[in-house]
Amino acid sequence: MARLTTLTDEAKIAFDTLMERTGSLVTPSLRLGVTGLSRAGKTVFITSLVHNLVQGGRLPLFDAYASGRIARAYLQPQPDDAVPRFQYEDHLAALVKDRIWPDSTRAISELRLTIEYQSASSWGRMLSAGKLSIDIVDYPGEWLLDLPLLGKSYAEFSRDSFALANETAHLGFAEDWLREAATTDALAPADEMTAQRLARSFTDYLRAGKSDEQALSTLPPGRFLMPGDLEGSPALTFAPLPDLPEGNFKTGSLAAMMERRYESYKTHVVKPFFREHIARLDRQIVLVDAMQAINAGGAAVRDLERALTEILACFRAGRSNIFTGLIQKRIGRILIAATKADHLHHESHNRLEAIVRRLVDRAAKNADMSGAEIDVLAMAAVRATREATVNQNGDTLPVIVGTPLKGEVIDGEVFDGETETAIFPGDLPHNVQAIFDQPELSPRDRAHEAPIRFVRFRPPAIKADLDGIHLSLPHIRLDRAMQFLLGDRLA
């Protein structure tokens, strides 16, 4: 990532890190980044993590909690006043009271969770303050995919975008934008209406690639789909142009205007995001909806691998020593979590982990993640199903039981959002390579030949105890994720 930042950027990062380190001498803190591509479950993960610590959940694999060394966990005001607060209470109410999944992450947000604990060793109890503040930073993974743009010129961005759109997996939904771009003269005089039309067509193409049917991951620029308060600004009103000439573009041309806006996007959107947030992280979890990609076919799986490579390359991974750590942070631990494991029977969980590990091993090698600890697990931050068995034609089948969302369809039956049902979710193959070698299927064929029967379920009904206090959110391996990300800091 060093080649993507200037000396001025590095100086600002060093100053911010030094100030943060100084403050941590009084109040020890850890910055945990939570990201993932859309629909991977970032909001649900943070809500469940906080609720299980504050409320007291079943966390047998989280050593500090299971051994009784955590006295209490509670929320405090976050240190970054300019960053929106993660609306934990609203998201928890959606899950517990309304039994609906909370809104997806659309912008960056933050929450501070403070844990009071006792060290496991007498030496640690002498040296430790017995308190750790965890600053949880939630941000869309699509924004990470913008960081490689810092090392690309507008001409390179255009060339790469057209190469991607002409891949087999993209052609079916890229045709309208490619047709629009092909009729555009890059050297014609700059025109705002033309720029808006091209940007709109390009955005429609990106949005189509993120649909459930395509389930593609590598579709920068990420802010085009999640513009926030930048919607309609010139910094988001540009698009790649075909057949660009070598060298500088003619002043006043459409290409020159697009290039200026592209550079503005990098300067005012992408660079501050890296400097103010990514460069300050200590730990990172990347949530991956691998099952959606698996069901969409081999091209979507390979595209997910490419996205993971680009995401991992964005992190400053490795270990800092006592001197360099004062002015530069490194992400020492990165967890890649395949979410929605509750949509599979537990017999397939190890296979899901094996598939994601294959994706991550190749991505980590390409991204040069030497020095960082990386782990992979299959998890469900909130478990929406339970397991059972049914007898069918003399065979015993493992099934999952839950309440499908209103409008979900199983074998022609449309569910009302209230009726519980049992489904056989299917099995992932033992041979990991088979997932990468899947043939391309039409959306109609996927419903019959996809390896997983993917149904969306409502959040579980959470009962209250005799005092009216709601019990903690059920999960699968959330405690294992906590142990990897936080365990050493609470030892």
Side-chain angles (χ1 to χ4, degrees), residues 317-328:
R319 296 186 178 277
S320 300
N321 60 45
I322 192 172
F323 299 108
T324 61
L326 291 174
I327 59 173
Q328 186 180 82

Side-chain angles (χ1 to χ4, degrees), residues 288-335:
V288 178
D289 186 358
M291 289 187 288
Q292 191 78 29
I294 290 170
N295 266 12
V301 174
R302 292 187 292 273
D303 188 69
L304 176 59
E305 180 180 30
R306 174 165 50 194
L308 283 173
T309 299
E310 295 195 3
I311 285 174
L312 291 177
C314 295
F315 298 136
R316 289 187 156 171
R319 296 186 178 277
S320 300
N321 60 45
I322 192 172
F323 299 108
T324 61
L326 291 174
I327 59 173
Q328 186 180 82
K329 284 192 173 186
R330 294 282 180 180
I331 300 177
R333 294 190 177 190
I334 300 173
L335 179 64

